[in-house]
Amino acid sequence: QVQLVQSGAEVKKPGASVKVSCKASGYTFTSYGISWVRQAPGQGLEWMGWISAYNGNTDYAQNLQGRVTMTADSSTTTAYMELRSLRSDDTAVYYCARDFADDLDYWGQGTLVTVSS
Amino acid sequence: SYELTQPPSVSVSPGQMARITCSGDALPKKYAYWYQQKSGQAPVLVIYEDSKRPSGIPERFSGSSSGTMATLTISGAQVEDEADYYCYSTDSSGNHRVFGGGTKLTVL
C-alpha cells in the first residue's frame, strides 16, 4: 500500500534551517510528484511547492521563493524539503503528499517544526 | 495572488444535507479538490476533479462545480463527518496552487 513516512519533530532557533524528509513506498516513485503543505497552529493549509520525482523540476509558492528547496532522491525514494532563515511564523506541521496532476491523494503523517529562541 | 473562498463554518443536524461552497475565478477552467481533516490528523482526499470520489470514501460525499463555484455535498451527514474541509485548486495559469481557508463542519 502507498505510504509516506516523514521524519520526526524538530525544534530550531530563528535564522536556522530545517530539512524534513518524506520516505515513499508502495508505488513507482518517479511516476508521481511530491507536494509539500504546511499548517500553522490553528490555521488552514498552505501549499508550499511541488517537485517532480521524475526529473527534479520544482514549482515553489511565491511567498517562499528563495527560502525553500525541494529535492527528490529516486535511489532511496525519499523527498526532502529544506526551509532556511526560519522565523517564528514558520512554526507549523509540515506535510508531504503524493501529487499527480494536482491531485494530492496520499499524505504523510506530518512533521512538527517549532521555531523558538 | 489567487484565492479560494469558503464559509468559515457550516452546521447541520445528523441526517441532514450539508453543503460547503468554494468560490474562485479560475474554477470554470480548473478542477476543484476537497480534503477532510479531522482534529490532529493529516488531510484525506474526499473528492477529486470536481466530482469523483476516491475508493473508500462513503457515497454520501459528492462534489459538483458550476461557473466560479465548487460545492461539496454530504447527503445525510453523520457525527463522524465533523471535520475541517478544504477546497484546493490552481489559478488560471496552472502555476499557483492554493487551498481555501477551510470550513468547519459541525454535526450535532
Side-chain angles (χ1 to χ4, degrees):
Chain A
Q1 72 282 22
V2 174
Q3 279 195 307
L4 298 173
V5 179
Q6 299 183 221
S7 49
E10 304 261 13
V11 179
K12 297 292 183 181
K13 293 194 183 303
S17 298
V18 69
K19 192 169 186 177
V20 179
S21 67
C22 171
K23 167 73 174 174
S25 61
Y27 70 97
T28 302
F29 184 68
T30 52
S31 294
Y32 294 80
I34 294 286
S35 268
W36 290 88
V37 176
R38 69 179 179 177
Q39 186 171 37
Q43 302 301 308
L45 302 174
E46 178 189 8
W47 181 78
M48 299 178 65
W50 163 89
I51 181 167
S52 165
Y54 174 70
N55 59 15
N57 286 350
T58 55
D59 181 19
Y60 300 140
Q62 282 186 321
N63 65 320
L64 294 172
Q65 291 269 4
R67 285 207 301 139
V68 68
T69 300
M70 296 176 187
T71 55
D73 183 345
S74 59
S75 67
T76 60
T77 67
T78 301
Y80 299 90
M81 185 283 300
E82 181 180 34
L83 189 61
R84 299 177 293 278
S85 301
L86 289 168
R87 311 185 290 244
S88 58
D89 62 358
D90 291 318
T91 294
V93 175
Y94 289 75
Y95 295 100
C96 62
R98 190 177 78 162
D99 186 329
F100 185 79
D102 300 339
D103 185 355
L104 309 182
D105 58 356
Y106 288 90
W107 293 60
Q109 83 276 18
T111 296
L112 175 62
V113 175
T114 303
V115 183
S116 173
S117 55
Chain B
S1 61
Y2 186 54
E3 292 185 356
L4 296 172
T5 302
Q6 300 181 233
S9 63
V10 168
S11 183
V12 298
S13 299
Q16 284 191 328
M17 179 176 291
R19 287 194 177 95
I20 299 172
T21 59
C22 172
S23 64
D25 290 341
L27 288 178
K29 298 181 180 179
K30 297 296 182 183
Y31 286 127
Y33 300 78
W34 290 93
Y35 295 87
Q36 175 195 68
Q37 187 181 34
K38 295 184 178 179
S39 181
Q41 298 183 18
V44 172
L45 178 68
V46 294
I47 294 290
Y48 67 101
E49 295 181 357
D50 291 344
S51 59
K52 298 176 182 177
R53 194 175 53 248
S55 60
I57 300 300
E59 290 185 7
R60 63 180 179 272
F61 288 87
S62 63
S64 62
S65 187
S66 178
T68 60
M69 184 167 289
T71 302
L72 172 69
T73 300
I74 308 173
S75 304
Q78 307 295 310
V79 171
E80 61 262 32
D81 299 331
E82 272 205 353
D84 293 323
Y85 290 85
Y86 295 90
C87 61
Y88 169 78
S89 188
T90 67
D91 68 1
S92 55
S93 72
N95 293 332
H96 299 106
R97 310 185 196 193
V98 65
F99 285 94
T103 299
K104 182 175 184 58
L105 175 66
T106 302
V107 182
L108 53 75

